[in-house]
Amino acid sequence: MAGEHALLSAEIVNRGIESSGPDAGSPTFSVRVRRRLPDFLQSVNLNYVKLGYRNLVGHAVYWATVPLLAVVGSLSREALWRKAWEETSYDLATQLAFLVALAFTVAVYFMWKPRPIYLLDFACYRPSDDLKVSNEEFIELARKSGKFNEESLAFQSRILKSSGIGDETYVPKSIFSPGNCATMTEGRAEASTAMISALDELFDKCRVRPKDIGILVVNCSLFNPTPSLSAMILNHYKMRSNILSYNLGGMGCSAGVIALDLARDMLRANPSSYAVVVSTEAVSFTWYTGRNRSMLIPNCFFRMGCSAVLLSNRRRDFRRAKYRLEHIVRTHKGGDGRSFRCVYQEEDEERKKCLCISRDLMEVGGHALKAHITTFAPRVIPFSEQLLFVATLFYRHLLPKKTADSAGTKPYIAEYKLAFEHLCVHAGSKAVLDALQKNLRLEDRHMEASLATLHRFGNTSSSSIWYELAYLEAKGRVRGGDRVWQIAFGSGFKCNSAVWKATRRVRRPNRSPWLDCVDRYPEGG
């Protein structure tokens, strides 16, 4: 019972003024009991069953060919040749019809098959060392700025100690100045420095000119100036006038995958094109100087960062590409009120604007991940795991419930981890990463890149999954055929995934934000 109570949380709900009855005119309250982070690996709901069935039907061609292959395999080579040619006569019309049908089938297959999307390379912005601050310096500079009282400073200090963030993260110095740092000027300066630095490195790595880019997608959640950030990039590089430019705002830390999804769709509609995806966030523009603890939390976690990714749909780029895009899956729980307000930008009592992090974040994130996994796992887990899942499901339905329970036939939880060699989980906070590892039953090696990124660079918002992939490359762990799962969470509440497959062995890069520090990780390893 004690273990069950630990999974519950109580919430007092104000139901307003009673309009009738003996308590008319009096305020009424109710207590709502909710479960915390769910153990979603033990939940096999109808959505999972439907998707499992759909996946099984999608492999029906294999089931249909298995009997034919069995029959063919039972024949000797001589018998097979005799049946195919000696005992069967083909006239010219039959041969021509067969060739036409074969050519038509091959043409339809290649026309129907989506054009592959390749990732040529990517770059992650590393700020200059004069912007590096330790946790102790962070608190001391915040104290000297005069923007916080001692209670707020003590709260931020406690958060930093358990955050998993190390002493080498980067913050803009303007946030510690006595005046207002959340200005358009400071935001533009920070965003411009980060984006242009990442793009300069990307273009130099790939030997691609800015004028060759046909599609540009930029995502930044909270800083959305006019002209847009994408227009800022176009103006700096003097890109061509017919470029397809998009600027995504207000979509949280998972917007990097959403930007990838948009770029993929644009590449499929525009053959022989390059697409650049830029993911960043402006720390100075979101800095909070009030006393609301829920709004002080982002100050402790968010740090400077930016990523730039070059995609191509040209088949000839396969030879120089690092990865091929396999899947993008997106889940949105915005229809639920608690999920919608879990991460919410608003003003505090003093009319100071900032991002508010709800106490329901862990529970809401758990439910979003549960819904996401039920959609995502059947698409990526090996076919053998799908068969075991369906076989267990049918076995449980064929036997009486009491007999199945007594036989110990619990619902089979597919080992979707078998589908990936590497995981890049959004480095939001150590508490979230630890909860994810526990509930998904991940090994330490699966979380290494995320924890190292959180410690070295902090929460860089939507670009964090690229710092994690850069960590894996700097360690020299990505080999040809390896599959990489990038998963990110964001306001709304959203959970989005991208799956990449390495087209070749990725050698340790000459330029990386990790080159001088990667050997220090994992900590204690």
Side-chain angles (χ1 to χ4, degrees):
M1 291 297 292
E4 180 67 19
H5 290 162
L7 297 175
L8 303 177
S9 62
E11 177 183 2
I12 299 177
V13 180
N14 186 353
R15 300 178 60 184
I17 305 298
E18 191 71 27
S19 58
S20 60
D23 298 325
S26 302
T28 58
F29 300 87
S30 63
V31 177
R32 181 183 298 164
V33 179
R34 297 182 181 273
R35 292 182 65 86
R36 293 178 182 171
L37 188 67
D39 187 4
F40 35 79
L41 278 182
Q42 298 302 326
S43 174
V44 183
N45 57 17
L46 184 60
N47 188 29
Y48 201 112
V49 175
K50 288 180 178 178
L51 285 164
Y53 173 75
R54 189 184 308 162
N55 242 310
L56 187 63
V57 172
H59 291 88
V61 64
Y62 299 110
W63 291 105
T65 56
V66 165
L68 179 60
L69 292 175
V71 172
V72 172
S74 64
L75 298 175
S76 64
R77 183 180 300 179
E78 293 76 9
L80 184 62
W81 180 265
R82 186 171 57 255
K83 286 182 176 294
W85 297 102
E86 296 179 4
E87 298 180 6
T88 307
S89 59
Y90 300 100
D91 56 15
L92 180 61
T94 302
Q95 295 178 15
L96 289 176
F98 173 78
L99 291 176
V100 170
L102 179 62
F104 178 77
T105 302
V106 171
V108 169
Y109 172 77
F110 281 103
M111 291 176 61
W112 171 81
K113 187 179 180 180
R115 182 180 292 269
I117 307 298
Y118 299 113
L119 190 158
L120 301 188
D121 213 330
F122 65 97
C124 295
Y125 166 60
R126 176 169 168 169
S128 59
D129 287 344
D130 64 310
L131 300 177
K132 187 185 296 184
V133 296
S134 66
N135 291 339
E136 185 177 345
E137 290 172 335
F138 182 93
I139 297 299
E140 189 58 32
L141 289 171
R143 177 180 283 108
K144 289 181 179 179
S145 70
K147 298 177 180 179
F148 305 97
N149 58 22
E150 287 300 321
E151 184 179 354
S152 297
L153 290 170
F155 174 75
Q156 292 181 81
S157 181
R158 291 195 302 271
I159 293 293
L160 284 172
K161 288 180 180 178
S162 61
S163 64
I165 295 176
D167 292 325
E168 296 182 290
T169 59
Y170 305 90
V171 294
K173 294 297 183 181
S174 62
I175 64 177
F176 299 119
S177 62
N180 177 26
C181 67
T183 64
M184 298 299 290
T185 301
E186 295 291 349
R188 278 196 175 96
E190 180 188 347
S192 176
T193 301
M195 294 190 303
I196 300 306
S197 297
L199 285 168
D200 283 345
E201 180 180 338
L202 179 69
F203 293 144
D204 185 56
K205 276 183 175 181
C206 301
R207 298 180 182 178
V208 173
R209 300 177 305 165
K211 289 186 178 294
D212 294 333
I213 306 303
I215 300 162
L216 174 65
V217 183
V218 180
N219 70 271
C220 183
S221 184
L222 298 178
F223 180 59
N224 293 288
T226 299
S228 65
L229 296 179
S230 59
M232 184 187 300
I233 293 173
L234 291 173
N235 176 261
H236 177 84
Y237 289 106
K238 310 303 179 186
M239 291 180 166
R240 65 196 202 198
S241 59
N242 64 340
I243 190 172
L244 301 176
S245 173
Y246 302 89
N247 199 94
L248 306 180
M251 305 196 78
C253 298
S254 65
V257 179
I258 299 174
L260 284 175
D261 193 18
L262 176 59
R264 178 187 64 173
D265 291 344
M266 292 298 101
L267 284 171
R268 286 179 174 174
N270 298 272
S272 300
S273 298
Y274 285 127
V276 167
V277 175
V278 180
S279 301
T280 189
E281 193 59 72
V283 177
S284 58
F285 196 72
T286 60
W287 189 249
Y288 176 65
T289 59
R291 302 181 181 182
N292 188 311
R293 293 191 173 186
S294 297
M295 295 182 173
L296 285 168
I297 293 176
N299 286 4
C300 303
F301 287 99
F302 286 105
R303 297 292 186 267
M304 297 178 69
C306 178
S307 65
V309 181
L310 179 62
L311 305 174
S312 171
N313 59 6
R314 301 195 240 195
R315 297 187 187 275
R316 62 179 177 271
D317 284 330
F318 170 79
R319 293 183 177 275
R320 65 176 183 137
K322 284 186 173 182
Y323 306 93
R324 183 178 69 245
L325 183 60
E326 297 287 302
H327 303 282
I328 290 181
V329 178
R330 296 167 52 186
T331 304
H332 204 308
K333 301 289 288 183
D336 174 64
R338 293 173 69 242
S339 298
F340 176 72
R341 293 192 62 90
C342 182
V343 181
Y344 202 80
Q345 189 179 21
E346 58 184 342
E347 294 87 9
D348 66 1
E349 298 80 3
E350 300 176 356
R351 309 295 294 174
K352 293 180 178 180
K353 181 178 63 176
C354 194
L355 198 65
C356 181
I357 307 296
S358 169
R359 293 181 179 180
D360 297 331
L361 177 63
M362 295 290 287
E363 181 187 354
V364 166
H367 285 294
L369 183 59
K370 172 184 172 181
H372 184 72
I373 289 298
T374 60
T375 305
F376 176 74
R379 303 188 184 190
V380 297
I381 59 176
F383 188 50
S384 59
E385 289 293 304
Q386 299 181 36
L387 288 179
L388 287 174
F389 168 77
V390 174
T392 307
L393 183 67
F394 275 107
Y395 183 68
R396 285 181 55 84
H397 279 74
L398 290 174
L399 290 178
K401 186 177 184 304
K402 293 183 179 180
T403 306
D405 293 339
S406 62
T409 55
K410 296 181 179 180
Y412 180 75
I413 305 301
E415 285 290 342
Y416 57 88
K417 291 179 293 184
L418 298 175
F420 310 102
E421 283 72 34
H422 310 286
L423 266 71
C424 299
V425 184
H426 168 56
S429 71
K430 190 174 186 303
V432 172
L433 293 176
D434 288 345
L436 249 166
Q437 181 177 6
K438 179 180 178 181
N439 283 272
L440 285 178
R441 301 174 188 169
L442 300 175
E443 300 174 13
D444 289 343
R445 64 183 179 88
H446 293 133
M447 307 304 296
E448 182 183 326
S450 300
L451 290 171
T453 298
L454 179 65
H455 184 272
R456 178 62 181 84
F457 293 98
N459 183 347
T460 60
S461 189
S462 55
S463 64
S464 69
I465 55 178
W466 295 105
Y467 284 86
E468 293 162 19
L469 186 54
Y471 173 86
L472 295 171
E473 291 188 355
K475 283 286 188 178
R477 294 179 181 172
V478 183
R479 293 173 172 80
D482 282 2
R483 293 149 298 181
V484 182
W485 177 17
Q486 292 180 320
I487 179 170
F489 312 91
S491 58
F493 194 84
K494 299 182 287 293
C495 183
N496 301 322
S497 289
V499 178
W500 302 91
K501 186 173 183 178
T503 58
R504 55 182 169 86
R505 180 180 180 181
V506 179
R507 300 186 180 277
R508 187 168 179 170
N510 296 323
R511 302 174 67 177
S512 169
W514 291 97
L515 286 187
D516 66 338
C517 59
V518 70
D519 294 331
R520 303 201 307 261
Y521 295 93
E523 291 184 291

